Amino acid sequence: AQSVSQHNHHVILSEAASLELGCNYSYGGTVNLFWYVQYPGQHLQLLLKYFSGDPLVKGIKGFEAEFIKSKFSFNLRKPSVQWSDTAEYFCAVNPTSGTYKYIFGTGTRLKVLA
Amino acid sequence: DVKVTQSSRYLVKRTGEKVFLECVQDMDHENMFWYRQDPGLGLRLIYFSYDVKMKEKGDIPEGYSVSREKKERFSLILESASTNQTSMYLCASSFPKGREEGYTFGSGTRLTVV
């Protein structure tokens, strides 16, 4: 069955530290890839997406992600985190063939200490 | 701004009650989705709809049904609420494949069944 793994469930960083959140998926075909963020008390928002082309994609608020097809990975990065990045981050995969539904990872809770 | 509006932010219902959760989107999206979000389990798809009067089961449809009589509205129905349906319910919408830009989520309904 198709699945998405986010291995880091909880991450605690100090401000200005670099961030990398892992996302791996199991699906052999072509996929669209997404990272969503949920700030405390707010709705899920799209952070960035990859459909095709340059495997390094840039999103809002200084986030970027790199699609490595050979590793089935789409890791999220930010060079220097801020306290306001405290949130839960979800990776999602949508196979380009088949249904419309996205498969979400279980999420990573990031806490940034001021 | 794209809006997905869920009718209630918080609901408390009694075991055995029939519960209706409403979702309305104003972006003319064809696809609509109901997820439930539980700590440590991420987002799990309950039902989705890719057109008016069309619906498909997601990964955890048991105990739920849906209705889509109009394009902009997608209702989730708990036929007989049980305590294990206490959860955060998220509605989302999107354009179909070939036009999609990612899901847009509502703010969620936190349902407590007592």
Side-chain angles (χ1 to χ4, degrees):
Chain A
Q2 299 155 5
S3 65
V4 176
S5 297
Q6 292 182 244
H7 303 293
N8 313 104
H9 299 295
H10 292 90
V11 174
I12 301 175
L13 294 173
S14 298
E15 273 193 316
S18 64
L19 170 72
E20 181 159 4
L21 301 182
C23 173
N24 289 89
Y25 64 93
S26 64
Y27 181 73
T30 307
V31 294
N32 296 328
L33 297 153
F34 306 86
W35 275 98
Y36 283 84
V37 60
Q38 188 173 33
Y39 298 104
Q42 296 190 25
H43 65 280
L44 277 152
Q45 304 170 42
L46 182 65
L47 202 52
L48 48 77
K49 60 183 184 279
Y50 172 81
F51 285 178
S52 64
D54 188 345
L56 184 63
V57 293
K58 295 191 185 298
I60 60 171
K61 305 189 181 187
F63 285 90
E64 64 179 31
E66 184 175 13
F67 171 48
I68 303 179
K69 190 174 181 180
S70 61
K71 295 185 177 180
F72 301 91
S73 70
F74 190 54
N75 292 353
L76 181 70
R77 300 195 292 246
K78 187 170 184 179
S80 175
V81 294
Q82 301 173 307
W83 177 80
S84 57
D85 294 323
T86 294
E88 190 161 18
Y89 294 81
F90 293 91
C91 180
V93 171
N94 173 228
T96 56
S97 63
T99 70
Y100 303 95
K101 66 179 186 178
Y102 295 4
I103 304 156
F104 283 84
T106 53
T108 297
R109 283 188 185 274
L110 170 66
K111 184 168 185 176
V112 180
L113 304 174
Chain B
D1 228 13
V2 175
K3 283 274 190 329
V4 177
T5 304
Q6 294 184 231
S7 54
S8 304
R9 190 83 170 98
Y10 298 95
L11 273 181
V12 180
K13 296 292 182 180
R14 295 194 180 279
T15 302
E17 276 193 79
K18 190 169 186 175
V19 181
F20 292 86
L21 302 183
E22 305 287 345
C23 175
V24 177
Q25 51 94 5
D26 65 0
M27 274 302 290
D28 204 31
H29 284 164
E30 282 80 1
N31 301 336
M32 296 189 76
F33 308 83
W34 277 106
Y35 284 85
R36 62 178 281 178
Q37 182 181 11
D38 299 288
L41 297 177
L43 279 71
R44 294 179 292 167
L45 181 65
I46 304 171
Y47 267 97
F48 66 103
S49 168
Y50 51 90
D51 202 352
V52 176
K53 297 191 186 294
M54 304 300 288
K55 59 186 179 185
E56 284 199 26
K57 292 180 180 179
D59 300 315
I60 51 164
E62 295 78 19
Y64 303 95
S65 62
V66 290
S67 172
R68 188 150 181 219
E69 297 296 318
K70 293 184 178 181
K71 189 175 184 179
E72 67 270 18
R73 186 179 296 270
F74 192 35
S75 303
L76 179 69
I77 303 153
L78 286 67
E79 298 291 343
S80 177
S82 64
T83 54
N84 62 14
Q85 292 178 311
T86 291
S87 186
M88 172 68 88
Y89 289 87
L90 300 177
C91 177
S93 68
S94 75
F95 285 120
K97 282 188 182 295
R99 292 179 58 205
E100 64 178 313
E101 301 168 332
Y103 285 2
T104 300
F105 282 91
S107 297
T109 296
R110 187 166 293 281
L111 173 67
T112 302
V113 183
V114 298

